[in-house]
DNA sequence: CATAGTTTTGACCATATGGTCAGAAAATTA
DNA sequence: TAATTTTCTGACCATATGGTCAAAACTATG
């Protein structure tokens, strides 16, 4: 079996191969979705034979589950960092910036998530209704407290968060479209987006 | 063959069956993406046997292509209606409203499009780089003229349009997530969104 | 280096899936 | 109603795909 004895951790080979498989799988799943992806594609991309992949993972489902679990760990992080330390408007704009940076630096993760949610989130519905909702409610309350204190304009906190998710993830999920429309100016899309979004959210929030 | 003689149009049966197949196919493709969908699913949902489906359409690909072609016809319509007739801010907000209404009334079409673009738009890349880019450039120029005339605040027109697409389509494409987060208040999501987006874009655009 | 443990593979299997086809059933027309 | 055309189906096929397994190849260690 691939699982090493409980006392020792995974061997070097196990770590390397497991990582190579997950790396290739992320690429494939993010591009074609769960059902559209095949073990043969992952095998080809990782350079690891299909039976060997199944030596390290129980099956296609398990690989996908592992990727999603990893993703969810880091996905909520930017929002968690939203605190009442600094100026509310700056705080929210900083969150927008972090989220946009994630679209730039981890577009595959964004697409993996988008594919999953778009298809009804069959494998992560519990996470959405649980941890995600809990965190969103908590941060919405924080935003509401800022509104009550007159520090930002009165808007619906939940929908503000939705709009931030939508506008930032758009640059990863709809990248092909963004590039097609911007064509020659596409290279600067993230800098342009950063400036536009900063302007928009400052205008929206500044009292 | 299913194709009627060139002189006569399609028969009643042809119209009905073709429509039933496309209706079922839209449902299936929007939910599972192209590769994730099967003819058997479409057959089951439409109540038309697989061989009979293939009597009306050349194959899976053709059905999908037909749906995309139809979609693109109507997809750009809301943006085309953006004119310099009324007040610029009202015009843009009206466009946001139309786009949000499409997410509410045609969520499957939105998801079909999202699935396609998310996976690299292999079948509609030409449409994006052609008609979509042309229209977007034209309307960006209109928005820029409003900026030059001092009628709205100076923002990047292309990214304004992206943000409108993102925020409105989010309510169709990420519906599961929106509902999970709003839970008991989910029923009113479109009214809430309409109000929030109107507020945000007025704040962003009003000079 | 010999042995025990780990990793890798080729061959293979069962099922799913897109698609074909000859002929039956139904509808239309003469 | 008989002939003709359109619509529909069961049986079938080729390929793709997730997964299995026995044995080979490799690695680490006493």
């Amino acid at each position: 079996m691939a699982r090493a004895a409980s006392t020792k951790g995974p061997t070097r080979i196990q770590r390397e191969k497991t990582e190579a498989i997950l790396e290739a799988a992320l690429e494939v799943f993010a591009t074609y979705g769960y059902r559209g992806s095949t073990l043969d594609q992952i095998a080809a991309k990782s350079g690891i034979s299909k039976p060997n992949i199944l030596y390290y993972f129980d099956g296609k489902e398990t690989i996908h589950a592992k990727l999603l679990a990893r993703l969810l760990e880091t996905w909520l992080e930017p929002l968690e960092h939203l605190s009442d330390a600094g100026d509310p408007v700056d705080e929210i704009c900083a969150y927008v910036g972090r989220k946009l940076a994630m679209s730039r630096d981890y577009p595959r993760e964004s697409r993996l998530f988008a594919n999953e949610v778009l298809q009804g989130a069959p494998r992560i519905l519990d996470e959405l209704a649980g941890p995600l909702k809990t965190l969103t409610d908590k941060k919405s309350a924080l935003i509401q407290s800022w509104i009550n204190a007159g520090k930002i304009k009165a808007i619906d906190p939940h929908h503000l968060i939705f709009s931030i998710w939508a506008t930032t993830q758009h640059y990863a999920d709809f990248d092909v479209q963004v590039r097609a429309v911007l064509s020659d100016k596409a290279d600067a899309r993230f800098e342009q987006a950063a400036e536009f979004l900063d302007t928009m959210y400052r205008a929206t929030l500044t009292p």
Side-chain angles (χ1 to χ4, degrees), chain A residues 170-192:
Chain A
H170 186 82
Y171 289 93
D173 303 342
F174 288 72
D175 187 51
V176 211
Q177 182 179 252
V178 168
R179 292 160 84 126
V181 168
L182 294 179
S183 60
D184 50 305
K185 291 170 206 151
D187 284 349
R189 62 197 187 282
F190 282 103
E191 290 80 22
Q192 294 169 2

Side-chain angles (χ1 to χ4, degrees), chain A residues 27 44-45 47 55 74 78-79 86 90 92 116 119 121 149 178 190 193 201:
Chain A
E27 190 86 23
K45 187 146 300 225
Y55 167 71
T74 57
L79 183 53
D90 290 338
I92 292 171
E116 182 66 15
Q119 310 198 352
V178 168
F190 282 103
Y201 285 110

Side-chain angles (χ1 to χ4, degrees), chain A residues 85-98:
Chain A
D87 174 67
V89 175
D90 290 338
E91 277 289 332
I92 292 171
C93 285
Y95 171 53
V96 172
R98 286 196 295 274

Side-chain angles (χ1 to χ4, degrees), chain A residues 29-37 60 64 111-125 128:
Chain A
F29 282 132
T31 307
Y32 303 103
Y34 179 74
R35 286 218 44 188
S37 303
K60 186 184 172 183
H64 193 249
R111 283 189 209 113
L112 180 72
F113 185 77
N115 259 307
E116 182 66 15
V117 176
L118 189 52
Q119 310 198 352
R123 287 163 254 272
I124 55 165
L125 196 53
L128 301 185

Side-chain angles (χ1 to χ4, degrees), chain A residues 8 12 27 38 56 62-63 65-66 76 84 87 92 101 104 106 111 136 139-140 143 148 150 155 165 168 195 202 206:
Chain A
K8 298 173 192 172
R12 175 186 54 87
E27 190 86 23
T38 72
Y56 289 104
T62 309
I63 303 175
K66 177 75 184 172
L76 302 180
D84 58 355
D87 174 67
I92 292 171
R104 171 178 21 92
Y106 304 99
R111 283 189 209 113
T136 311
K139 297 305 179 180
S140 288
I143 294 171
N148 294 342
I155 37 79
W165 291 346
T168 56
E195 199 195 313
R202 281 189 192 284
T206 308

